[in-house]
Structure formats: structure tokens, C-alpha cells
Amino acid sequence: MDGSYFPPYYFGYIHLGAIVNDIDKKELDFDKNYLIGCEYIVVQPLGQFFRGGKMKSVPSRTLLICLMLLIIITLVSVLGFTFEAATAVQPQSTANNSERSAGISQTLKEISYYPAGNAWENFWQNWPDLVATGQITADLNHIYELGGNTVRIFLHPDVFGYPTPSPTYIYYFAEALTYIDNAGLQAHVNVFDCDETPWTDISGSKTWIDAIVLPYKDDSRIAIWELQNETPINDPTVQAWVTDVLPYLQAQAGNVPATLSVLNDPELLATMMTLTATNSLDIYSFHWYPTSPRAWTTALPDALERAREIIGDADLLLGEFGYNTFDVSETSQANLYQDVLYYANQYGVEHLGAWTLHDFEEGTIICGDALAPEPERFFGLYRLDGTPKPAASILSDAFHGNFPASLSPISVLNGSFEDLNPHSMNMDDWRPWDELWSSVDTFAQDCTRAHSGQCSVKVSQQGFTGQVGLYTVPSLRENLTVCQTGYLEGYVQTENLDGWVRLSISWFDKDENYLGSTSGSAMTVSNSSEWIRVSIDDLEPLANATTFEVFAQISSEDDTARVWFDDVALSHCYNHLPLVLKSH
């Protein structure tokens, strides 16, 4: 490394870089058990030299600064301050945590964070470059400008060194906390990410916590310590680990809150409460994503209500939510954000966390040295070129106290077929359909003809003997009322059609069970260069329907048939009834 970046010389728990930073900020707290790294840089090499050994190579600039620090620290000590060796610090007892006064100091408005080009383990491995290029500062400023007050970061034991982390990565972590603090944010720190080894190594887990957490006991720069991301707490081995290690984490954290997170199933919160009965959690972290595009956001209200029933008046953090813009459009992602934030506000969930700040670059490696699946790369609020997606402004409004006043609009997205997804190159918000659900594409965008705009979609029979077409993804929320102007319509042109063309709607209940379909009148004109309207009039949802999908379908005996659809749109009466706030 060049002289612009200090090597992380370190001895004990606290590193030279942290002391330099604290002196710069004039915020030295001499009761935080500092052990000066200069003992490693100056005293140890000199001792080896005078014992006949070879003096270690130390950069002259580092040596000079360290000598100056030793002089300053000696003077400060003479004035009455006390420095205690970190090696003398003993782990706190985990027998009973009743005297802890941990609590959430502010409403959490957080974003999980990795840089676009250095996610997961690469984040720490390339930390010096991220600092040198200003990427860390710029990204943290983005979070602050969005209205966030907390950034969620992840520690990787297999990168840091487990169970005893290397001084280099201890230094990087400490420096990260400094950058987060300087950006006006707090840190939500995930302690054991991407690693199952600790589950069967309780002793090693505690050694890791001693090195990572204990030096920052009661540190107000940290909003929350999270034992592990989306912990599989139904596993007996994991249960034993959580029961022993989580109270230890709480003790070493002091007054900083501690938790762990679970995914999608609120009943896991009940398991979490059982495992932590003797050392109750300071906050419960629940992550939620749609289980499928068909259910979309309709399952969230029941999940939030059940979560509240389980944990009572305890703090609830909706710690992750979002959706990728590989499988759906940016508009659909924004609609999900609107729905989630609307429901959260209605159900009194104040603590919120979104996944994630950036889209990730091609070749991103995730946990287990696996290549990130394409959808996984596009959950970001910001595109790879640094520009914000529509969801960013919705989240920012909520972070500033302006939550959505209603659920997202019920409309057919990309019904004019103008938009291809820039990542998947599929038609945004539409998927292929045939009677066998083979997922074979029988349609393509055609920008040589259009009812309006520039493009339409062309559906071809392509050897299929049954019905083919396309349907909307994600599903639409059933919130229709019957009225005179309620209808689904579209426009078609045909070529060599020996059969029919129609629009159809399929209805599903809250468990994604198919309830039935409503189809419009079949159009049978064989060859039409004029645009012909097709429609379903007087829409009436089926009983118990919660979602529906729109289908554009053709069936032809002539497999050379081609049909163009354009301007598929839903006209209906809105019926956004406000949800009744639940007591909690």
C-alpha cells in the first residue's frame, strides 16, 4: 500500500486508526478500555532489536505519528486519565440480563448496504479501495439524503478470520463505524453473516463476539446488533446456538439493543420469543417479501397483524422488504414499496428497513462463493448508473414522515407494450402463457405497428394446438366495484386467424388458489389490418377473490396465425377503503 493509507497495526481490541480519529474529533473517552496499538508499533520492535532480533519494518510516517501519540497519551495520563488494558476486560456474565437498559433510541429508518461493485465478502476485502475512491462517503450520503438514519452492514467471519478476527479487518470495521458516524447515521451491525460454522461452535462464537462487539459496548454509534440474518431458528442446532450465544451478545453489547431476524413467517417470532424468554429481545426483526408474484403484497397485512399479536407491545422492525427489477418493472417495484409502506403505517410499524441501496454489478458473488442469480442483482433503489428508481422517492417520503395515503393503483402495467425490461429483455410485467404452462415464449414486441404509441405485442401460434398468449405479472389486487364504466379492453389486428382472440381475467384467493375466469366475447375476424376493440364489460369479481391476472389469448387451427394486441387497459371504480388500525 502507498503512504496514503495507514496499515492497520493493531494490538488488543482498539487500533491506532480509531485513536487518530478520536483525537481528530476531540472526543476521546478514556473509560472505553483503549489499549494503544503503538505498543505493537514501537515498543515491541525495539524490544526485539535490543534482544538481538531483527527490528520489524515500520513506515517512518506511522512511527512518527505513533511516537507523537505516545507523548500525548503520557501527558493526558499524567493529568489524571486512566487507560485500561483491553486484555484485562472480562466477559460479562450471561446468567441474567434483567439489569440491562437497552432500548431503541430512535425510530429506525434504515437501508441494508453493499456498494454496487463490491457486495458481500468483497465489501471488506476491497475496503481500502472503497475508502480511497470516496465510494463509502458517497453511498452513506445517499442514505442520509433519502431520510435514513441507520445503515445495515454485514460482517463475514470467514473473511475477517474466525474465531479470532485479523487486526486488518478489525481496523476496517472500526473505520466503517467512523464513516457511518460522520455521515450522520447509526450502524445496524449483522454479526455472523454468510457462515453456518458458528452454529456448532458456541465457544468460538463467543470469542468472535468478544473481539467484534465488546470493544463497542454501550457505543451510541451503533443502533442495533443483529446476531444473524434470517436465522433458521426451527433447526434444533440453531436453537441451541441462539439460546446460548444471543444472551452473550446482549451482555457484551451493553445498552445497545440486540436482535436476530427471521423471514416471512410471523410464527417464527413466537419461536424467537421462546428461545429468548429469559433474556427478552430489545426489538424483533421481521423480513418480508412476496412469496410469489401472484400473491404480491396481499399477504402482508395478515403477517403484520399476526406479528403484532405474537410480540405484543415490543418493538417490531420490518427489517427487509423490496423486490427486484429483473422480474418486474421499476413501476411494479415502486408499487410494492407504496403498498408495504402503506400497510406498515396502518399497522403501526414504525421501524423500517429496505433491501437494498444499489443494484449490483454483473459477476457479483454472494454467500458461499456463489454467483448472484440475475434477479438478486436488481433489488436496488439506485440503478448501476447511480440514478434513482421510482421506489426511492416513495421510501424517502416515508422516511420523512409522508407515508402513502393509499395502496398502489389497480391498473394493467405496460398495456401498450412499449417497455422491455433492460436487464432480462422480457416484456415488462407480462409473461408467456399456454394451456400447458410451458413458459415457452409465443409473443414478442413489434414496433412496426401500434394502435397508439410506437409498439404492440405480436402473438404467434408457433405450432401449439391449444390456446397461447400472455398474462400480467405481478397479479393485480382485487379491489373492484361494479359500475357502468367498469371494463377491460384492448385492440387487436389479425393475420391468418382460424379461431378466436379474447381478453380474460383469472381470479385467485388469498392462498393463491384458482377460483375461475371471466372472459370477454371472442373476436373471430381472420385478417384485419384495422384495429378492432375487444373487451370484458361489467366486471364483477368472483367471491373470495383477492388477486387477479389479465390474459391476452388466441386460439387458431392455422399455426401461421399472428395476432397483435395493444392498449390493454382496465377501467373501473376505485374503492380504496382505509384499513382499520389494529389495537396493539
Side-chain angles (χ1 to χ4, degrees):
M1 298 180 184
D2 60 34
S4 64
Y5 190 81
F6 277 52
Y9 294 105
Y10 174 88
F11 186 78
Y13 287 107
I14 302 299
H15 52 79
L16 176 61
I19 295 174
V20 173
N21 176 72
D22 281 340
I23 290 176
D24 287 343
K25 293 175 63 178
K26 298 181 175 62
E27 291 180 357
L28 265 176
D29 179 350
F30 295 102
D31 296 323
K32 286 284 181 80
N33 302 311
Y34 288 113
L35 181 65
I36 305 307
C38 292
E39 192 256 354
Y40 179 79
I41 296 174
V42 179
V43 179
Q44 189 180 65
L46 286 175
Q48 288 183 348
F49 176 76
F50 287 116
R51 287 194 299 270
K54 292 183 179 180
M55 182 177 287
K56 296 185 178 181
S57 175
V58 179
S60 58
R61 180 181 176 185
T62 303
L63 183 62
L64 177 61
I65 290 178
C66 198
L67 287 169
M68 293 174 62
L69 281 171
L70 286 175
I71 294 170
I72 293 171
I73 291 165
T74 301
L75 292 174
V76 172
S77 298
V78 170
L79 294 176
F81 294 102
T82 301
F83 286 82
E84 299 177 3
T87 52
V89 177
Q90 299 299 318
Q92 299 278 325
S93 168
T94 62
N96 191 302
N97 211 24
S98 60
E99 296 183 0
R100 294 179 71 247
S101 58
I104 304 302
S105 61
Q106 62 178 343
T107 299
L108 296 178
K109 296 178 284 187
E110 65 179 43
I111 295 177
S112 295
Y113 171 61
Y114 285 118
N118 287 280
W120 281 271
E121 296 180 354
N122 284 342
F123 176 58
W124 296 109
Q125 292 169 343
N126 296 329
W127 175 261
D129 292 337
L130 294 169
V131 170
T133 61
Q135 184 71 56
I136 296 298
T137 298
D139 288 345
L140 294 175
N141 286 340
H142 274 317
I143 294 173
Y144 183 84
E145 290 163 2
L146 283 171
N149 57 25
T150 308
V151 56
R152 182 167 173 249
I153 61 174
F154 304 81
L155 308 184
H156 298 273
D158 59 336
V159 173
F160 277 53
Y162 175 87
T164 303
S166 90
T168 298
Y169 288 99
I170 287 285
Y171 177 80
Y172 293 169
F173 173 51
E175 192 171 38
L177 294 179
T178 298
Y179 274 91
I180 290 167
D181 184 43
N182 288 344
L185 303 169
Q186 286 185 296
H188 172 158
V189 183
N190 191 289
V191 180
F192 291 96
D193 198 44
C194 288
D195 199 342
E196 299 178 4
T197 302
W199 297 348
T200 55
D201 183 15
I202 290 175
S203 175
S205 297
K206 292 179 179 180
T207 298
W208 170 265
I209 289 172
D210 286 343
I212 294 294
V213 179
L214 183 58
Y216 301 100
K217 186 172 185 176
D218 300 330
D219 194 324
S220 62
R221 296 176 301 170
I222 300 172
I224 188 169
W225 293 99
E226 180 182 351
L227 181 65
Q228 192 172 58
N229 178 55
E230 297 175 2
T231 316
I233 57 174
N234 280 336
D235 184 312
T237 300
V238 177
Q239 289 181 354
W241 179 68
V242 169
T243 300
D244 199 326
V245 175
L246 183 56
Y248 193 83
L249 170 63
Q250 290 176 305
Q252 309 308 69
N255 290 331
V256 178
T259 191
L260 71 161
S261 60
V262 293
L263 175 65
N264 269 19
D265 182 3
E267 299 306 321
L268 293 174
L269 296 172
T271 304
M272 192 187 303
M273 292 190 73
T274 300
L275 296 178
T276 60
T278 59
N279 298 80
S280 60
L281 292 178
D282 307 307
I283 187 170
Y284 292 83
S285 182
F286 179 62
H287 297 179
W288 186 88
Y289 296 91
T291 55
S292 75
R294 178 164 290 161
W296 203 228
T297 61
T298 57
L300 180 57
D302 286 346
L304 293 180
E305 184 173 13
R306 180 61 182 143
R308 180 54 65 194
E309 289 173 354
I310 291 170
I311 69 171
D313 293 331
D315 282 312
L316 176 64
L317 166 63
L318 186 57
E320 280 189 26
F321 67 89
Y323 210 78
N324 74 81
T325 55
F326 182 90
D327 289 328
V328 301
S329 67
E330 292 184 359
T331 301
S332 286
Q333 183 197 49
N335 285 347
L336 179 135
Y337 267 77
Q338 180 171 338
D339 290 353
V340 170
L341 293 168
Y342 174 80
Y343 285 134
N345 188 44
Q346 292 294 312
Y347 280 82
V349 180
E350 296 180 346
H351 304 293
L352 301 168
W355 175 270
T356 178
L357 184 66
H358 290 295
D359 285 345
F360 299 127
E361 292 181 0
E362 185 175 0
T364 291
I365 302 298
I366 59 175
C367 296
D369 293 325
L371 188 66
E374 288 295 281
E376 187 76 20
R377 293 176 44 220
F378 296 103
F379 276 79
L381 292 162
Y382 286 84
R383 307 178 187 98
L384 286 172
D385 64 5
T387 57
K389 301 177 187 177
S393 64
I394 296 173
L395 181 66
S396 182
D397 285 346
F399 277 176
H400 286 97
N402 300 312
F403 283 83
S406 67
L407 295 168
S408 59
I410 304 169
S411 61
V412 177
L413 298 181
N414 198 25
S416 60
F417 307 103
E418 302 289 326
D419 301 323
L420 294 181
N421 188 286
H423 313 302
S424 68
M425 299 310 296
N426 293 326
M427 186 73 70
D428 255 344
D429 299 317
W430 293 85
R431 293 293 178 271
W433 172 84
D434 59 74
E435 288 182 284
L436 300 178
W437 291 92
S438 68
S439 299
V440 174
D441 279 334
T442 57
F443 69 90
Q445 186 184 55
D446 187 342
C447 294
T448 65
R449 61 177 78 191
H451 176 257
S452 69
Q454 302 298 316
C455 303
S456 61
V457 65
K458 178 178 65 178
V459 181
S460 303
Q461 196 72 36
Q462 293 187 357
F464 282 87
T465 57
Q467 302 170 25
V468 298
L470 61 164
Y471 71 104
T472 53
V473 173
S475 65
L476 302 175
R477 185 181 62 259
E478 190 289 294
N479 205 18
L480 303 174
T481 58
V482 180
C483 57
Q484 289 182 335
T485 58
Y487 56 82
L488 175 70
E489 70 172 5
Y491 293 85
V492 299
Q493 289 183 349
T494 61
E495 184 178 289
N496 299 332
L497 179 67
D498 183 11
W500 49 260
V501 177
R502 71 183 183 188
L503 297 177
S504 180
I505 288 179
S506 291
W507 307 95
F508 302 88
D509 67 13
K510 66 182 182 64
D511 296 318
E512 303 182 45
N513 297 312
Y514 173 70
L515 298 176
S517 297
T518 303
S519 298
S521 299
M523 196 282 292
T524 60
V525 177
S526 297
N527 292 277
S528 174
S529 59
E530 301 294 325
W531 288 97
I532 300 174
R533 181 180 182 269
V534 292
S535 66
I536 305 175
D537 297 314
D538 300 324
L539 280 174
E540 184 172 357
L542 298 186
N544 300 317
T546 58
T547 61
F548 65 96
E549 295 166 348
V550 173
F551 288 72
Q553 301 170 326
I554 76 168
S555 180
S556 177
E557 294 296 325
D558 185 342
D559 63 9
T560 66
R562 297 190 296 177
V563 176
W564 290 261
F565 288 88
D566 202 6
D567 293 338
V568 177
L570 184 69
S571 175
H572 59 87
C573 299
Y574 284 96
N575 186 25
H576 286 308
L577 298 177
L579 296 178
V580 177
L581 282 171
K582 309 296 180 180
S583 59
H584 50 296

